[in-house]
Amino acid sequence: MEQVRTAHGAAGVGVRLLGRAVRLVVGVLLGTVTAVVDLTYLLWSGLILVPVWPHPGARRSAIREIQAGARHLAEVERWRLAAFLNSVNSADYTGRRAVEYLCLRWAVGLLGGAVLLIFAYGAVAGLVWLAEWVAGQSGPLLFAGQLVLGLIGLFLVAQGLLGMAALDRRLGRLFFGPSDRELLERRISELAVSRAGIVEAVDAERRRIERDLHDGLQQRLVALGMLLGRARRSADPERAGELLRQAHEESRSALDDLREVAWRVYPTALDNLGLDEALARVADRAGMPVTVHYRLVEQPPARVRTAAYFVVSEAVTNAAKHARAGRVVVDVAPGQNAVVVAIDDDGIGGADPAGSGLAGLARRVAALDGTFRVDSPVGGPTTIVAEFPCG
């Protein structure tokens, strides 16, 4: 079984590498085509500018039109970079910046086309060598030499394509951004926002626990004390027995409230038994049918375990208390370097993602660089999906 898994894993890696190689070649090929278009546009723009240059008004108008056209071409390049070369660049750039980009971009694109021509020539030569060897027109020694030469050429072409793609990405980042400094500043801003969010979420949870203690558990303990006091002072044994029965019921309710608060603070089962067992206990305590599909092979990191638990616990509680759901399905599955948690219920829907509970969960997930999505149309059903990166 282990050998089968290893073979499947190697096959998966091979398919991913082949997919990346195809995307790279297509990206460079499209870049060659767009380079021809870019160069043509620049030459045409030069021809337009020459006669109007002595006239300031017409020159400014022509420059505006040229820059507007350059932005359209630059947007095509941004799409190509994002779709095939994994380079996402900012759309906040000027028309002049777009023209400057095109002035360099066409040369990079044509250079990439030259590398592709070498690759095509090598592929045709390899097919000819193979046909000659099959037809007996070349010996094994000559074919072996040609094979070695072909592999060396393929390696050099692959390095050339990778280099052209890297140069293309660098050019895009240079003119469109974001630069390394902008990325760092953006990351700092995201961390500041997530830090403020998690502080607010924890503070909101603390206030809710305090409210539960003051308005729930404390009131029950006061009532319990009053019932016991009245039972002690009662001269009627039958009345005293009734008061003691009520006090016993009140103590059980107080214990349930205390257990609820304790679970909300932090379930010890997460550390002792793991996320799967903790979620199973959430399902047992939900008071409604809750099905948990747990498909993780290993326990996720502690921070992910804790956040995933609170997302499921809050979603199940909302489904039971507010959504009037008849059933809830929880699915915990592995993603791409992530853990994906999905909660579906058949309730009435209409959950507000900006509400305090769901917004707090979103902030808790964002603090781990995760994503949080709520789909809850009026009438139901409701789907909550949280993805936690584990890389």
Side-chain angles (χ1 to χ4, degrees):
M1 179 64 72
E2 189 64 30
Q3 292 178 346
V4 173
R5 290 179 179 175
T6 303
H8 287 173
V13 171
V15 170
R16 286 196 293 272
L17 289 176
L18 180 61
R20 291 177 183 176
V22 170
R23 287 180 60 195
L24 174 66
V25 172
V26 173
V28 175
L29 180 60
L30 287 178
T32 303
V33 176
T34 57
V36 175
V37 177
D38 296 343
L39 180 59
T40 305
Y41 180 78
L42 291 173
L43 293 175
W44 174 82
S45 300
L47 294 177
I48 293 295
L49 277 177
V50 168
V52 300
W53 193 260
H55 311 286
R59 184 179 63 204
R60 285 194 293 271
S61 177
I63 289 177
R64 281 197 300 271
E65 294 297 327
I66 290 171
Q67 291 180 349
R71 279 191 62 90
H72 290 300
L73 294 177
E75 285 300 303
V76 175
E77 298 290 359
R78 284 184 60 247
W79 168 80
R80 182 182 61 83
L81 291 171
F84 297 99
L85 302 183
N86 295 324
S87 178
V88 179
N89 299 289
S90 172
D92 185 18
Y93 59 91
T94 63
R96 179 176 178 176
R97 200 69 170 165
V99 173
E100 293 172 350
Y101 169 75
L102 295 182
C103 287
L104 294 178
R105 168 68 189 81
W106 69 267
V108 176
L110 293 183
L111 191 57
V115 176
L116 287 177
L117 281 177
I118 295 174
F119 173 71
Y121 174 80
V124 172
L127 290 175
V128 171
W129 293 342
L130 180 62
E132 290 176 349
W133 179 64
V134 172
Q137 298 176 356
S138 64
L141 186 59
L142 177 60
F143 181 73
Q146 291 171 336
L147 182 61
V148 172
L149 185 62
L151 291 176
I152 294 174
L154 181 62
F155 173 77
L156 294 177
V157 167
Q159 293 299 314
L161 288 174
L162 290 173
M164 295 313 304
L167 184 59
D168 219 352
R169 286 192 290 263
R170 189 174 183 81
L171 196 64
R173 291 182 63 181
L174 178 63
F175 285 93
F176 302 141
S179 64
D180 292 339
R181 180 184 179 86
E182 290 172 328
L183 287 174
L184 184 59
E185 290 176 348
R186 187 180 300 175
R187 181 59 179 158
I188 291 174
S189 299
E190 291 174 353
L191 291 175
V193 171
S194 64
R195 175 181 174 275
I198 193 64
V199 169
E200 186 177 347
V202 171
D203 190 53
E205 187 66 21
R206 178 184 58 78
R207 289 197 300 270
R208 188 164 67 170
I209 292 172
E210 291 176 351
R211 186 172 61 248
D212 290 345
L213 289 174
H214 292 163
D215 301 340
L217 182 61
Q218 182 175 269
Q219 296 302 320
R220 290 193 182 279
L221 292 177
V222 170
L224 174 61
M226 293 177 63
L227 287 171
L228 291 175
R230 290 171 59 189
R232 287 184 58 191
R233 293 191 298 272
S234 177
D236 183 0
E238 186 175 350
R239 176 61 178 166
E242 175 61 22
L243 291 172
L244 286 175
R245 187 192 64 77
Q246 294 180 16
H248 182 248
E249 292 294 328
E250 200 66 30
S251 68
R252 293 178 57 184
S253 299
L255 186 59
D256 290 340
D257 287 354
L258 181 61
R259 187 179 295 115
E260 185 75 21
V261 172
W263 268 89
R264 189 170 296 164
V265 173
Y266 186 81
T268 55
L270 273 177
D271 290 333
N272 300 332
L273 302 175
L275 179 60
D276 49 344
E277 187 62 29
L279 295 183
R281 295 191 178 191
V282 170
D284 292 339
R285 295 169 45 247
M288 59 185 297
V290 176
T291 304
V292 179
H293 299 297
Y294 188 88
R295 294 186 282 167
L296 299 182
V297 178
E298 299 178 352
Q299 286 292 323
R303 64 183 188 285
V304 174
R305 211 161 52 223
T306 303
Y309 169 82
F310 280 111
V311 167
V312 174
S313 180
E314 181 73 20
V316 171
T317 301
N318 287 342
K321 289 185 177 180
H322 307 299
R324 287 181 275 170
R327 64 167 183 81
V328 176
V329 177
V330 178
D331 185 53
V332 183
Q336 188 171 5
N337 295 325
V339 171
V340 181
V341 177
I343 305 100
D344 295 286
D345 72 60
D346 61 349
I348 59 175
D352 182 11
S356 59
L358 292 177
L361 292 180
R363 288 192 292 265
R364 188 186 287 270
V365 176
L368 300 179
D369 290 335
T371 59
F372 185 78
R373 179 171 58 85
V374 178
D375 183 16
S376 181
V378 176
T382 296
T383 300
I384 297 175
V385 179
E387 184 169 344
F388 304 92
C390 297

